[in-house]
């Protein structure tokens, strides 16, 4: 086939003739469309978008580029969550075993670092021995035994997403509603789920930085899920600062382990608990969040009146986390996927960087802002992410002990610690941290940690919530 007319049509915002998109994508899979032609197509989509019908076609080809799992033999709901990507987003490491502890089967298929954001696979692989490239057979065995398994896009499942994801990461073609929606939904739908929860990041560290785009992305993905008969709920969560206090791979594994031990950080713990609650609710669609407004408007503010089902789901998640059950399940998961389970209890067994450098505050005041995007980009610069296809990463580098917006700081006190392969690299990353922070007299312009809930029933907008208590 000649790929040019497809690239040119998207570039010019013209509609595609029937069958053209499918042929172009199949050609890429078969090798007759080159990487540079696909990169040009992706950039045209970023700049001009594609029609809703073409998005449906894109999802279909990506979904059916590999096997679609049939996990209907599992004796329980099959629910997964996926994030649109952020800095410091280690949620999946805590949430997946926790959701399994809440009685769900979690066949989780994750990605590697994408652009300035980290990826669950890279984080998991920083645990010595941990394998994310299990065969489908092994994946199902782990899932049946532990209720949770965590792998990457494979040659067998959504292989087109795997190739496009890697290419988008190194060609500046991530920030696009149709490309993000198709990437996430194709691999999630291939998992044979009975329900799905999305963590849609909002703020300057997200791929889409405008709130209207964030909400449109969430609505698009919820619609795609529902169109495929998979009940889907999205929570919009804050990415105008990093989530938690670390950004990198090993450093985030350490923080996820702390959260699994029932320790903080508070924002990570809150996002995990809310998503675990939504995963249980989406598994039992009859027990949905009740709208108190009989008029049928689709937007309302949180009024504090929560139905029992929600409370019960939240209590269960909290108990399983604080009781150490999710930690125990994560330990077994690590062992089953080839990792060293002792590293779960003794983080000193995780690899560490040769250089660590503390970054002192230049002033006294309130941390008014901590911009996540420069930190994510600095982690990539340190070697913790990729700028070329197939590049190896250094799992040990990144930021830890990050101060958070709203905290008071004295001049000379710690803003964060850089972990790096050399003193020179550490110095550069330290100066990025210093310039990503604004210290002033407050108040902090931070977003609500969880601002919206989007489902087939409509959009709920939550008012400002007080920071979690720990
Ligand atoms: N996560 C994905 O899997 N794909 C994207 O495009 C963005 C985040």
């Amino acid at each position: 086939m000649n790929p040019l007319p497809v690239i040119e049509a998207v570039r010019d915002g013209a509609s595609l003739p029937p069958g053209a998109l499918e042929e172009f994508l199949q050609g890429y899979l078969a090798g007759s469309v080159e990487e540079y032609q696909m990169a040009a197509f992706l950039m045209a989509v970023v700049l001009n978008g594609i029609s809703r019908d073409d998005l449906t076609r894109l999802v279909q080809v990506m979904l059916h580029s590999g096997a679609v799992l049939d996990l209907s033999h599992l004796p329980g709901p099959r629910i997964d969550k996926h994030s649109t990507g952020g800095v410091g987003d280690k949620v999946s490491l805590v949430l997946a075993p926790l959701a399994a502890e809440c009685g769900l089967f979690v066949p989780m298929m994750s990605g590697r670092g994408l652009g300035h954001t980290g990826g669950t696979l890279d984080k998991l692989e920083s645990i010595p021995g941990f394998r994310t490239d299990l065969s489908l057979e092994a994946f199902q065995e782990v899932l049946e035994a532990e209720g949770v398994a965590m792998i990457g896009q494979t040659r067998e499942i959504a292989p087109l997403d795997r190739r496009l994801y890697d290419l988008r990461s190194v060609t500046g073609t991530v920030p696009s509603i149709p490309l993000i929606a198709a990437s996430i939904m194709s691999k999630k739908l291939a998992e044979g789920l009975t329900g799905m929860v999305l963590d849609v990041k909002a703020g300057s560290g997200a791929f889409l930085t405008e709130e209207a785009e964030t909400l449109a992305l969430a609505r698009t993905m919820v619609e795609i899920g529902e169109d495929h008969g998979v009940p889907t709920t999205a929570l919009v969560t804050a990415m105008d600062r990093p989530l938690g206090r670390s950004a990198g791979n090993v450093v985030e594994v350490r923080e996820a382990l702390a959260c699994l031990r029932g320790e903080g950080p508070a924002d990570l713990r809150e996002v995990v608990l809310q998503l675990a609650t939504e995963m249980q609710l989406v598994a039992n669609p009859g027990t949905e969040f009740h709208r108190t407004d009989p008029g049928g408007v689709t937007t309302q503010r949180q009024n504090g009146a929560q139905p029992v089902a929600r409370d019960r789901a939240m209590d269960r998640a909290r108990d399983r986390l604080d009781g150490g059950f999710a930690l125990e399940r994560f330990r077994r998961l690590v062992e089953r996927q080839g990792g060293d389970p002792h590293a779960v209890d003794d983080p000193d067994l995780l690899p560490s960087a040769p250089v660590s450098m503390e970054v002192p505050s230049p002033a006294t005041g309130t941390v008014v802002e901590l911009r996540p995007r420069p930190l994510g980009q600095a982690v990539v610069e340190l070697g913790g992410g990729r700028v070329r296809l197939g590049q190896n990463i250094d799992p040990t580098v990144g930021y830890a002990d990050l101060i958070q917006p709203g905290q008071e700081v004295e001049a000379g006190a710690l803003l964060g610690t850089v972990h790096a392969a050399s003193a020179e690299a550490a110095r550069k990353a330290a100066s990025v941290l210093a310039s990503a922070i604004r210290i002033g007299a407050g108040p902090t312009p931070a977003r609500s940690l969880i601002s919206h809930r989007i489902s087939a029933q409509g959009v709920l907008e939550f008012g400002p919530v007080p920071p979690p208590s720990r």
Side-chain angles (χ1 to χ4, degrees), residues 239-257:
M239 190 37 67
D240 57 346
R241 66 265 191 189
L243 182 66
R245 308 194 56 171
S246 61
N249 291 294
V250 165
V251 286
E252 291 195 42
V253 171
R254 287 180 207 277
E255 193 168 38
L257 291 173

Side-chain angles (χ1 to χ4, degrees), residues 82-86 109-112 114 117-118 153 161 164-165 168 173-185 187-188 207 217 221:
H82 201 86
S83 156
T84 57
M109 203 173 299
S110 305
R112 300 197 174 279
L114 184 64
T117 69
Q153 296 112 302
D161 177 54
L164 294 183
Y165 187 97
R168 288 167 59 220
T173 52
V174 179
S176 149
I177 292 176
L179 295 181
I180 297 175
S183 164
I184 292 180
M185 298 310 287
K187 62 180 163 271
K188 295 289 112 172
F207 287 116
L217 173 64
M221 291 194 293

Side-chain angles (χ1 to χ4, degrees), residues 301-319:
R301 299 198 85 81
Q302 187 179 31
N303 63 6
Q306 314 256 333
V308 175
R310 170 168 291 270
D311 289 348
R312 228 187 275 133
M314 172 58 90
D315 287 349
R316 186 182 298 126
R318 213 182 271 124
D319 288 351

Side-chain angles (χ1 to χ4, degrees), residues 109-167:
M109 203 173 299
S110 305
R112 300 197 174 279
L114 184 64
H116 66 280
T117 69
T120 299
L121 293 187
D122 292 329
K123 290 167 204 176
L124 286 170
E125 286 177 1
S126 64
I127 300 172
F130 195 102
R131 288 192 46 208
T132 59
D133 61 347
L134 302 185
S135 67
L136 278 189
E137 214 181 0
F139 174 65
Q140 292 195 33
E141 272 168 27
V142 177
L143 183 61
E144 281 161 21
E146 298 301 343
V148 52
M150 299 176 85
I151 59 167
Q153 296 112 302
T154 63
R155 255 176 256 289
E156 293 148 296
I157 296 198
L160 181 52
D161 177 54
R162 189 170 75 140
R163 288 187 56 193
L164 294 183
Y165 187 97
D166 289 350
L167 187 57

